[in-house]
C-alpha cells in the first residue's frame, strides 16, 4: 500500500522530524514487496546508530556505528578495537570502504582513519588528522580516496602506491563519491564539484544542493544526486530534476542520506525523516513512490544481492526473493480455481476475486464463500453457505443448488472433462447439473471431497474412512486391503485431490501419493517431513512446486520421479517463504492451493494469505559461500588459528566456525571433520561450534564447510591445524626408548634363560663325569680290594691242600682265572677314570674312523681353528653320532670317500660328515629319516639332548652332508 511522503518546508524541518519520524519503539519490521526482511535491534546485540557499512572479500559485514567498528557474521556482532590506543580518536565510525586485497579502511568523526589488515586494526593517518571523515572510496587498483570536513577547511586525500596526495577544497566537503570510470564527485555547499581522472582541479557543476546530499551511480553509469530539494539526475552540465522528493533528512541539517539501485532497478532512498522510500527508476514519479516507516540512514547492496540498512535502532536486512505477499485479497477462504484463459479465482472474506495479469478484481461480493472449483471451458463454480454461482470470465450467474430449498448446501464441487458440473451435498450424495436441473447419481457414494478424472470416473474421499475410485458405478479402494505392496497404506487425513500428468495426486497429513487407476505410489512424511500436509501442487517445466507444512517447496521432476520409484532416495529441494514463516493452511478440509497464471507466475494460498512466486526472480544457488574457523579454545582460553600449539595434557578442544552466506545465515548448514578422529563428514546442521574430548598428543587438521538451507556445499571450506604438545612420556623418543628397553630386556631374559639351560645341561654332563669317577673309586676301594682279599684267602687254602690233589689243581685254576678277572677289573676302573678326562675330539674321531671305516673306503679328519679339549661325555656322544654317520656312508651311500670336518669356533663346536655317495632321497631328507630305520633319528636326538643342532643335506655335486653343532659352553672343558 502506497503511503504519502512527508513534505516539509525548510522552516518546518524540525516539525518534519517530530511528526514524520517513526517512534523509537515502533516495530522496525519493514515489508517491501519482493524482499524478505529481518531486523536486529540493540537488544539483539546490534550496535547503535549505524552510519557506514562494507562487506570485505572474506564475507564478513562491517558496521561503522556511534559505538565503534563491529563485525557481523549473520548471527552475532563483535566489536573490533584498534590495537594502538589514541585518546584523540573518536568512537564514532563515519565511513567504511572494502579494498580489493580484503582489507578495510575505517574513517572516524575525528581522529582520521585506521586500516584493518590481516586481522589487525591500526592507525593509518598520513599526517595530522583533520576534521570528520565523510567518505572513503577504494578503486579497483587499490588506490584510496578519503574526504574530510572541518571548520578549518576540507581536504580530499588520495593514496596511490603508498604515497598520499592532498587536495584542499574550499567550503564544507559534505559528501564524496567515486564513479566507476574514476570520476570523483564532491558535494560542497553550495555546489557540486567534479574531479576528472588524472586531474587535480575541480570542475563546478551548475546547480544548488540542500540538506542531506547523497550520490549514486546506476547500472548504466548515470549519476544521481539527492538532497532536500529532491532527486536529480547529475550531468557535467548541471542538474536535471525528477520531481521525486521525500522531505528533510533524518536528524535535521546534519543528517545524511544514502541511495541504492537494486536488481529490479528500484531506487531506494534512506535517511529521510519520513522513512525509507522506494521509487522505480524507470518511472520516477511520486505516484509510484512508496515510503516505509523505517529510520534507515545508510544502505549497502552486497555481492549476494542482499540489501543492508543501517539505522539508529540497529541493522536491517532485505533479501531479494521470488515470493511476494499479495495483500489485495484479505482473509482467504478457498483454494484456487483456474479459468480457460489462465486467469485465477480465489475466495476471500469480501467475496470472489478474479486475478488476471497479476491484478485482483472483486467480481462477487459475499462473506459466505465456502468452495470454488474450475469448470472446463467456462471459468469457475462458487459455493457459498446460501447461494451458488457459475462464473464466466468476470460474470457470475446465480444457480439454484440441488437441495437449497431444504437448506442443505454443497460441500464440494468439480467438473468432468465434458464440462459438466458435479456437487457433493453432505451425506445426501452426488448431483450432476443438467442445464438448470440437478440430477442425483446413486451410483456414486457420498463424499466430502472428490474430483472427476475421466468420463464416468471419480476419485471420492471420505476422510479417514474411504478413498476410492468409482468407474461406471464400480467402487475400487485406492489402498486395497490385503498383503500387497500398496495394501493397508495411506497418507493420513486427505486434504488435496488433483488430476495432473494423467494421475491423481493425493495430499494428506502424512505424505503425498500418486494414483494412475491401477496402482498407488506414495512418499511418507516420516521420510520426507516437508511432505506433511500437502495442500497444493503444480508442475512448471522441469520442476514441481508444492505448498505444505514445510513451506513452498520446489523439486526437480526427475528427482521426484526417482523417489516415487525408490522411496527413501534423497530428494534435493529448494525451499521458499522466509524461513518457514509461509506455510500451508491447516484448517480446511479440501484444498487446491497452488496454481499457475497465464504469465507463468505461481500462486499459493498459505496460512498467511495469498502469495505469488515469480520464477524470473529466482537466482541460482551459489556454491562459493565463504567459510571461516573463528575460534580455537581449550578450557575457555583462546589460541591463534595459525600454527597453534596446545599445552601438554590437553584432551578437550573447542572449535567455532561460521559460513558467511548472510542472506539467510539462520538457515545455514554445516558439516565438519577432524582428521584421525572422524571417519567422515559429521553433519552439524545449524550448530556453529564443536567440542572434541579424549584427544591425545599429535597434529590435527580440522575441516569445515557450509551450505545454505537447501543449496550446495561451499566449493571451498575452511581448514585449521593445531598440535597438542605431548608430555615427555608421550613423545616418540620416549616410546622408542621404552621399546628398546623392552627389546633389550627380552633379549637379556632369553640369554639368561639360555644360559640357565646350558648351565643345567653342563651340570648334568659334569654330574655324569663325577659319577664315573665315583664308580671307579668305589670299584677300586671296595670290589677290587675285596676281590684281592678273597684271592689271598684262596692262596692260604691252596697251601693247606696236598700237592697233586684234584682240589689243589682246581684251586690253582680258579686262582689263575681270578688273576685274569682282577686284571680286567683294574683295567676297567682305569678306563673309567681315563674316560672322565677332557679329550681331543680330533683324535677321538680318527680312532672312531679307523674302527668303523677301516680300509673300506678313503677317509680323513680335517680340523679348522685352534683345537680345544672337549668334555668326556660330550666327546663320547659325538663319537657315537659320527660313528653312526660313518657307518651309514659305508653301508648305504655307495661312497668312495668320506670326510669329517671339525671347526673349533669361539661360540660353537661344529662337525660335518661328508661323503661322495649317491645322497639321500628327497623324501628321506625332508622327513629326517627312513621309516623303520633309526640311525638319523638317533643322531638327531643324541645331539639335541646336548642342546645342539643337527641337519642333513645333499652335498654339493653329490653325496650326503650331515652337520652337527654344539654351544661352546657345552662342548668345551
Amino acid at each position: 500500500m502506497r503511503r504519502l511522503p512527508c513534505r516539509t518546508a525548510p522552516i518546518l524541518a524540525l516539525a518534519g522530524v517530530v511528526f514524520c519520524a517513526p517512534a523509537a519503539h515502533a516495530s522496525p519490521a519493514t515489508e517491501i514487496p519482493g524482499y524478505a526482511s529481518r531486523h536486529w535491534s540493540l537488544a539483539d546485540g546490534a550496535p547503535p546508530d549505524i552510519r557506514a557499512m562494507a562487506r570485505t572479500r572474506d564475507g564478513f559485514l562491517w558496521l561503522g556505528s556511534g559505538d565503534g567498528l563491529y563485525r557481523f557474521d549473520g548471527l552475532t556482532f563483535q566489536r573490533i578495537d584498534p590495537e594502538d590506543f589514541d585518546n584523540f580518536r573518536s568512537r564514532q565510525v563515519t565511513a567504511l570502504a572494502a579494498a580489493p586485497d580484503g582489507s578495510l579502511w575505517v574513517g572516524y568523526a575525528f581522529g582520521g582513519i585506521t586500516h584493518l589488515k590481516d586481522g589487525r586494526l591500526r592507525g593509518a593517518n598520513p599526517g595530522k588528522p583533520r576534521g570528520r571523515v565523510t567518505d572513503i572510496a577504494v578503486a579497483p587498483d587499490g588506490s584510496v580516496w578519503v574526504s574530510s570536513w572541518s571548520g578549518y577547511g576540507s581536504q580530499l586525500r588520495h593514496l596511490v602506491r603508498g604515497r598520499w596526495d592532498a587536495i584542499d577544497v574550499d567550503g564544507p566537503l559534505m559528501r564524496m563519491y567515486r564513479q566507476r570510470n574514476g570520476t570523483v564527485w564532491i558535494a560542497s555547499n553550495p555546489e557540486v564539484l567534479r574531479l576528472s581522472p588524472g586531474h587535480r582541479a575541480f570542475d563546478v557543476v551548475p546547480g544548488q544542493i540542500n540538506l542531506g546530499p547523497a550520490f549514486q551511480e546506476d547500472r548504466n553509469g548515470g549519476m544521481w544526486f539527492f538532497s532536500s530539494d529532491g532527486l536529480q539526475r547529475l550531468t557535467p552540465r548541471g542538474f536535471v530534476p525528477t520531481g521525486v522528493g521525500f522531505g528533510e533528512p533524518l536528524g535535521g541539517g546534519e543528517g545524511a542520506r544514502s541511495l541504492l539501485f537494486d536488481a529490479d532497478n528500484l531506487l531506494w532512498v534512506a535517511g529521510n525523516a519520513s522513512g525509507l522510500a522506494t521509487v522505480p527508476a524507470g518511472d520516477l514519479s511520486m505516484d509510484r513512490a512508496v515510503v516505509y516507516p523505517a529510520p534507515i540512514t545508510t544502505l549497502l547492496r552486497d555481492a549476494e544481492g542482499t540489501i543492508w540498512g543501517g539505522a539508529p535502532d540497529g541493522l536491517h536486512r532485505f533479501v531479494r526473493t521470488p515470493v511476494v505477499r499479495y495483500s489485495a485479497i484479505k482473509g482467504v477462504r478457498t483454494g484456487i480455481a483456474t479459468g480457460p484463459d489462465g486467469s485465477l479465482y480465489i475466495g476471500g472474506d469480501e467475496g470472489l476475486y478474479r486475478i488476471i495479469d497479476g491484478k485482483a478484481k472483486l467480481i462477487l461480493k459475499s462473506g459466505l464463500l465456502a468452495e470454488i472449483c474450475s469448470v472446463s471451458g467456462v471459468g469457475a463454480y462458487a459455493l457459498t453457505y446460501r447461494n451458488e454461482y457459475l462464473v464466466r470470465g468476470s460474470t457470475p450467474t446465480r444457480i439454484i443448488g440441488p437441495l437449497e430449498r431444504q437448506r442443505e448446501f454443497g460441500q464440494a464441487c468439480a467438473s468432468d472433462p465434458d464440462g459438466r458440473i458435479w456437487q457433493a451435498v453432505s451425506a445426501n450424495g452426488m448431483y450432476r447439473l443438467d442445464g438448470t436441473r440437478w440430477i442425483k447419481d446413486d451410483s456414486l457414494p457420498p463424499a466430502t471431497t472428490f474430483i472427476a478424472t475421466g468420463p464416468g470416473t471419480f476419485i471420492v474421499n471420505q476422510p479417514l474412512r474411504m478413498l476410492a475410485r468409482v468407474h461406471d458405478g464400480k467402487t475400487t479402494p485406492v489402498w486395497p486391503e490385503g498383503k500387497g505392496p500398496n495394501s493397508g497404506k495411506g497418507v493420513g487425513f486427505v486434504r488435496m485431490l488433483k488430476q495432473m500428468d494423467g494421475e491423481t495426486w493425493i495430499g494428506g497429513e502424512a505424505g503425498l501419493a500418486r494414483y494412475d487407476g491401477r496402482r498407488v505410489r506414495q512418499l511418507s512424511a516420516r521420510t520426507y517431513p516437508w511432505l506433511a500436509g500437502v495442500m497444493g501442487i503444480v508442475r512448471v517445466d522441469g520442476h514441481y512446486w508444492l505448498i505444505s507444512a514445510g513451506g513452498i517447496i520446489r523439486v526437480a521432476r526427475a528427482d521426484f520421479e526417482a523417489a516415487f520409484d525408490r522411496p527413501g532416495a534423497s530428494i534435493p529441494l529448494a525451499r521458499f517463504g522466509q524461513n518457514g514463516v509461509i506455510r500451508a493452511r491447516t484448517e480446511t478440509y479440501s484444498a487446491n492451493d497452488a496454481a499457475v497464471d497465464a504469465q507463468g507466475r505461481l500462486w499459493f494460498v498459505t496460512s498467511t494469505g495469498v502469495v505469488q512466486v515469480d520464477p524470473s526472480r529466482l537466482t541460482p544457488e551459489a556454491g562459493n559461500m565463504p567459510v571461516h574457523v573463528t575460534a580455537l579454545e581449550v578450557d575457555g582460553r583462546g589460541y591463534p588459528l595459525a600454527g597453534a600449539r596446545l599445552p601438554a595434557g590437553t584432551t578437550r578442544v573447542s572449535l567455532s566456525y561460521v559460513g558467511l552466506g548472510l542472506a539467510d545465515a539462520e538457515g545455514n548448514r554445516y558439516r565438519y571433520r577432524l582428521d584421525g578422529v572422524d571417519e567422515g563428514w559429521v553433519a552439524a546442521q545449524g550448530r556453529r561450534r564443536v567440542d572434541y574430548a579424549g584427544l591425545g598428543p599429535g597434529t590435527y587438521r580440522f575441516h569445515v564447510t557450509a551450505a545454505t538451507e537447501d543449496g550446495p556445499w561451499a566449493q571451498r571450506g575452511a581448514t585449521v591445524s593445531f598440535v597438542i604438545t605431548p608430555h615427555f612420556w608421550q613423545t616418540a623418543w620416549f616410546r622408542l626408548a621404552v621399546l628398546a628397553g623392552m627389546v633389550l630386556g627380552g633379549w637379556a631374559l632369553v640369554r639368561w634363560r639360555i644360559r640357565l639351560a646350558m648351565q643345567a645341561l653342563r651340570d648334568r654332563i659334569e654330574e655324569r663325569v663325577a659319577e664315573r669317577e665315583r664308580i671307579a673309586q668305589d670299584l677300586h676301594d671296595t670290589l677290587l680290594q675285596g676281590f684281592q682279599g678273597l684271592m689271598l684267602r684262596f692262596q692260604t687254602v691252596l697251601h693247606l691242600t696236598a700237592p697233586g690233589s684234584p682240589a689243589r689243581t682246581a684251586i690253582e685254576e680258579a686262582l689263575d682265572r681270578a688273576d685274569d678277572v682282577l686284571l680286567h677289573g683294574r683295567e676297567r676302573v682305569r678306563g673309567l677314570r681315563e674316560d672322565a678326562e677332557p679329550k681331543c675330539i680330533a683324535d677321538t674321531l680318527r680312532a672312531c674312523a679307523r674302527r668303523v671305516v677301516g680300509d673300506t673306503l678313503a677317509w680323513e679328519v680335517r680340523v679348522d681353528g685352534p683345537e680345544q679339549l672337549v668334555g668326556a661325555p660330550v666327546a663320547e656322544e659325538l663319537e657315537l653320532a659320527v660313528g653312526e654317520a660313518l657307518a651309514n656312508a659305508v653301508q648305504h651311500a655307495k661312497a668312495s670317500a668320506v670326510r669329517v670336518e671339525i671347526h673349533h669356533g669361539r661360540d660353537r663346536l661344529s662337525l660335518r660328515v661328508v661323503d661322495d655317495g649317491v645322497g639321500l632321497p628327497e623324501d628321506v631328507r625332508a622327513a629326517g629319516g627312513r621309516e623303520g630305520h633309526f640311525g638319523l633319528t638317533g643322531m638327531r636326538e643324541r645331539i639335541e639332548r646336548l642342546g645342539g643342532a643337527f641337519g642333513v643335506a645333499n652335498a654339493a655335486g653329490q653325496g650326503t652332508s650331515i652337520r652337527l653343532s654344539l654351544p661352546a659352553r657345552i662342548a668345551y672343558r
Side-chain angles (χ1 to χ4, degrees):
M1 180 178 69
R2 191 175 86 79
R3 303 192 181 189
L4 294 178
C6 175
R7 302 189 180 191
T8 59
I11 195 171
L12 296 178
L14 181 59
V17 173
V18 173
F19 292 104
C20 297
H25 63 274
S27 173
T30 303
E31 295 291 338
I32 298 179
Y35 286 87
S37 63
R38 168 71 193 274
H39 172 247
W40 287 268
S41 68
L42 275 61
D44 299 317
D49 194 13
I50 299 174
R51 305 178 182 185
M53 295 183 292
R55 193 169 182 189
T56 46
R57 190 176 61 187
D58 58 12
F60 286 104
L61 180 68
W62 298 89
L63 309 174
S65 75
D67 189 39
L69 179 66
Y70 280 77
R71 190 183 75 176
F72 183 55
D73 62 13
L75 293 178
T76 59
F77 300 85
Q78 181 181 2
R79 179 185 165 89
I80 307 296
D81 291 319
E83 289 186 349
D84 52 335
F85 181 78
D86 186 348
N87 286 329
F88 297 98
R89 182 186 294 129
S90 171
R91 292 174 63 87
Q92 302 176 23
V93 176
T94 55
L96 294 174
D101 63 357
S103 64
L104 180 73
W105 292 88
V106 184
Y108 297 85
F110 52 85
I113 59 174
T114 58
H115 190 204
L116 177 69
K117 189 173 184 179
D118 299 328
R120 310 181 74 177
L121 182 62
R122 294 179 171 180
N125 291 313
K128 185 176 181 180
R130 177 185 293 185
R132 176 190 185 93
V133 176
T134 60
D135 291 286
I136 303 176
V138 182
D141 62 359
S143 61
V144 182
W145 294 88
V146 179
S147 62
S148 61
W149 172 22
S150 76
Y152 297 98
S154 300
Q155 198 172 68
L156 180 65
R157 290 183 174 179
H158 188 203
L159 175 64
V160 182
R161 291 185 290 274
R163 297 184 61 183
W164 287 94
D165 180 27
I167 305 174
D168 291 326
V169 178
D170 295 332
L173 202 165
M174 302 170 67
R175 296 302 301 270
M176 182 269 292
Y177 184 89
R178 183 189 179 278
Q179 201 173 349
R180 288 193 296 269
N181 63 10
T183 300
V184 176
W185 298 81
I186 290 176
S188 178
N189 194 28
E191 54 198 4
V192 169
L193 305 179
R194 178 177 178 271
L195 182 64
S196 299
H199 291 73
R200 288 179 55 82
F202 292 101
D203 298 324
V204 177
V205 180
Q208 292 288 322
I209 68 173
N210 207 327
L211 300 178
F215 296 95
Q216 184 61 43
E217 183 178 8
D218 64 24
R219 64 180 65 177
N220 299 317
M223 284 299 298
W224 298 83
F225 180 76
F226 194 92
S227 70
S228 295
D229 289 336
L231 179 66
Q232 304 178 74
R233 185 174 178 82
L234 192 58
T235 71
R237 294 184 298 274
F239 296 94
V240 179
T242 63
V244 175
F246 303 103
E248 300 305 314
L250 183 66
E254 295 184 359
R257 287 188 174 92
S258 179
L259 304 182
L260 179 146
F261 290 94
D262 68 9
D264 301 311
N265 206 25
L266 184 71
L267 176 64
W268 298 47
V269 184
N272 306 304
S274 55
L276 176 67
T278 63
V279 59
D283 187 4
L284 293 173
S285 67
M286 290 304 294
D287 291 335
R288 297 294 306 276
V290 182
V291 177
Y292 304 93
I296 296 173
T297 57
T298 183
L299 295 168
L300 170 71
R301 181 173 174 232
D302 64 19
E304 297 179 20
T306 302
I307 296 176
W308 301 89
D313 64 349
L315 179 67
H316 296 255
R317 183 186 66 191
F318 303 93
V319 180
R320 188 172 184 264
T321 172
V323 179
V324 179
R325 295 180 184 270
Y326 197 78
S327 58
I329 301 176
K330 304 295 184 182
V332 180
R333 290 177 174 267
T334 71
I336 308 174
T338 305
D341 57 355
S343 60
L344 306 178
Y345 299 90
I346 301 177
D349 287 347
E350 297 177 349
L352 181 64
Y353 289 84
R354 183 184 184 217
I355 301 175
I356 188 167
D357 294 331
K359 297 180 180 179
K361 178 183 178 182
L362 183 63
I363 61 173
L364 175 64
K365 289 185 177 182
S366 173
L368 300 175
L369 276 169
E371 189 63 80
I372 60 171
C373 56
S374 303
V375 179
S376 302
V378 178
Y381 196 80
L383 302 177
T384 76
Y385 293 111
R386 290 183 180 176
N387 304 307
E388 299 179 10
Y389 299 89
L390 177 64
V391 182
R392 296 179 181 272
S394 297
T395 305
T397 302
R398 174 82 163 85
I399 301 293
I400 303 298
L403 298 178
E404 187 174 321
R405 292 182 176 83
Q406 286 81 16
R407 302 187 64 80
E408 293 190 24
F409 306 103
Q411 270 183 299
C413 61
S415 71
D416 60 24
D418 297 328
R420 290 176 296 187
I421 299 173
W422 295 77
Q423 186 176 156
V425 182
S426 298
N428 285 286
M430 304 279 286
Y431 294 83
R432 182 185 76 248
L433 181 61
D434 186 3
T436 59
R437 297 175 55 249
W438 289 95
I439 301 175
K440 184 177 182 181
D441 191 331
D442 292 323
S443 66
L444 297 174
T448 301
T449 56
F450 71 99
I451 59 171
T453 61
T457 306
F458 299 86
I459 302 294
V460 295
N461 174 46
Q462 296 175 0
L464 300 180
R465 294 182 60 191
M466 178 187 71
L467 181 66
R469 176 176 183 263
V470 181
H471 177 67
D472 293 336
K474 180 181 178 182
T475 301
T476 304
V478 171
W479 284 281
E481 299 295 333
K483 298 183 179 180
N486 298 310
S487 62
K489 297 184 178 180
V491 292
F493 194 101
V494 173
R495 296 184 183 275
M496 182 201 75
L497 295 173
K498 182 168 184 175
Q499 190 71 9
M500 182 175 61
D501 295 334
E503 294 182 298
T504 301
W505 293 71
I506 305 165
E509 292 288 306
L512 179 67
R514 297 167 63 175
Y515 179 60
D516 61 6
R518 298 180 302 277
R519 66 170 184 144
V520 63
R521 295 180 296 166
Q522 64 187 49
L523 299 176
S524 172
R526 183 174 185 177
T527 306
Y528 308 100
W530 47 272
L531 284 177
V534 176
M535 302 291 278
I537 185 168
V538 292
R539 181 175 59 81
V540 178
D541 298 327
H543 290 87
Y544 285 105
W545 291 77
L546 54 92
I547 177 71
S548 70
I552 298 174
I553 308 293
R554 185 189 66 178
V555 179
R557 182 177 185 179
D559 295 330
F560 224 7
E561 297 286 352
F564 272 111
D565 291 336
R566 299 184 305 277
S570 175
I571 305 179
L573 56 88
R575 196 188 308 264
F576 304 88
Q578 301 179 0
N579 301 322
V581 173
I582 298 177
R583 296 170 177 261
R585 296 186 294 167
T586 58
E587 74 284 356
T588 184
Y589 273 79
S590 63
N592 182 23
D593 289 353
V596 182
D597 64 15
Q599 289 74 38
R601 292 179 295 245
L602 295 105
W603 296 78
F604 298 94
V605 173
T606 74
S607 59
T608 57
V610 178
V611 167
Q612 179 194 100
V613 176
D614 186 354
S616 66
R617 293 174 61 88
L618 291 172
T619 55
E621 291 284 354
N624 57 353
M625 181 194 299
V627 185
H628 296 274
V629 178
T630 57
L632 170 63
E633 297 178 330
V634 176
D635 296 330
R637 177 185 174 186
Y639 288 84
L641 297 176
R645 294 187 66 85
L646 308 183
T650 297
T651 60
R652 186 180 183 88
V653 175
S654 300
L655 294 129
S656 300
Y657 45 83
V658 63
L660 297 176
L662 304 187
D664 182 16
E666 301 88 342
N668 289 343
R669 299 174 293 127
Y670 299 92
R671 60 180 184 178
Y672 58 82
R673 183 182 76 245
L674 184 63
D675 291 346
V677 177
D678 299 318
E679 295 183 359
W681 288 106
V682 179
Q685 298 304 325
R687 290 183 291 109
R688 303 201 304 176
R689 177 187 173 101
V690 59
D691 296 316
Y692 284 99
L695 301 181
T699 299
Y700 296 90
R701 191 173 180 85
F702 178 73
H703 308 265
V704 62
T705 185
T708 58
E709 184 178 15
D710 303 303
W713 291 105
Q715 297 171 357
R716 297 182 62 184
T719 302
V720 65
S721 298
F722 59 92
V723 176
I724 298 179
T725 306
H727 291 291
F728 76 89
W729 61 81
Q730 296 174 315
T731 58
W733 66 263
F734 182 82
R735 293 192 182 98
L736 289 175
V738 171
L739 179 61
M742 293 175 63
V743 171
L744 291 175
W747 178 80
L749 178 63
V750 171
R751 292 282 298 177
W752 178 70
R753 295 286 296 177
I754 292 174
R755 184 182 295 273
L756 287 180
M758 292 297 101
Q759 186 62 44
L761 185 59
R762 186 177 180 85
D763 291 345
R764 287 199 300 272
I765 294 173
E766 294 292 344
E767 289 174 1
R768 289 176 60 184
V769 173
E771 183 66 15
R772 284 183 179 233
E773 292 179 346
R774 186 188 63 79
I775 291 173
Q777 185 175 359
D778 288 348
L779 287 175
H780 180 272
D781 294 341
T782 58
L783 181 62
L784 293 182
Q785 291 296 333
F787 197 76
Q788 180 69 34
L790 183 62
M791 288 181 64
L792 291 176
R793 296 289 301 270
F794 273 101
Q795 286 285 349
T796 303
V797 173
L798 177 64
H799 293 300
L800 295 177
T801 59
S805 62
R808 189 180 181 92
T809 302
I811 291 172
E812 289 177 348
E813 291 177 356
L815 287 174
D816 291 338
R817 179 61 179 167
D819 285 337
D820 293 338
V821 170
L822 183 60
L823 179 62
H824 182 69
R826 291 184 184 277
E827 290 176 353
R828 292 298 296 172
V829 169
R830 185 173 63 251
L832 285 174
R833 287 187 174 275
E834 291 177 352
D835 288 344
E837 297 297 326
K839 293 181 172 49
C840 173
I841 192 63
D843 293 341
T844 301
L845 296 183
R846 287 190 184 97
C848 177
R850 282 194 295 271
R851 184 176 67 252
V852 176
V853 180
D855 297 332
T856 306
L857 47 85
W859 61 271
E860 65 173 324
V861 176
R862 296 180 183 178
V863 180
D864 179 28
E867 293 191 52
Q868 299 187 55
L869 296 179
V870 176
V874 175
E876 182 179 345
E877 296 292 340
L878 291 177
E879 180 183 4
L880 292 173
V882 171
E884 181 67 26
L886 293 174
N888 287 338
V890 172
Q891 298 175 12
H892 306 295
K894 300 180 181 180
S896 60
V898 63
R899 181 175 68 255
V900 179
E901 298 175 353
I902 304 172
H903 175 70
H904 290 276
R906 181 178 179 181
D907 298 323
R908 302 188 72 81
L909 171 66
S910 301
L911 286 77
R912 183 170 176 249
V913 181
V914 185
D915 65 49
D916 61 356
V918 296
L920 289 174
E922 181 65 25
D923 58 339
V924 175
R925 185 178 63 82
R930 191 189 305 272
E931 186 177 358
H933 296 265
F934 305 101
L936 292 176
T937 302
M939 282 188 280
R940 173 178 283 105
E941 292 174 351
R942 191 181 298 277
I943 298 301
E944 290 178 351
R945 278 198 302 269
L946 293 175
F950 177 85
V952 180
N954 289 331
Q958 61 179 356
T960 303
S961 172
I962 299 177
R963 294 180 180 273
L964 306 88
S965 68
L966 292 174
R969 289 180 55 82
I970 300 300
Y972 301 141
R973 289 295 301 269

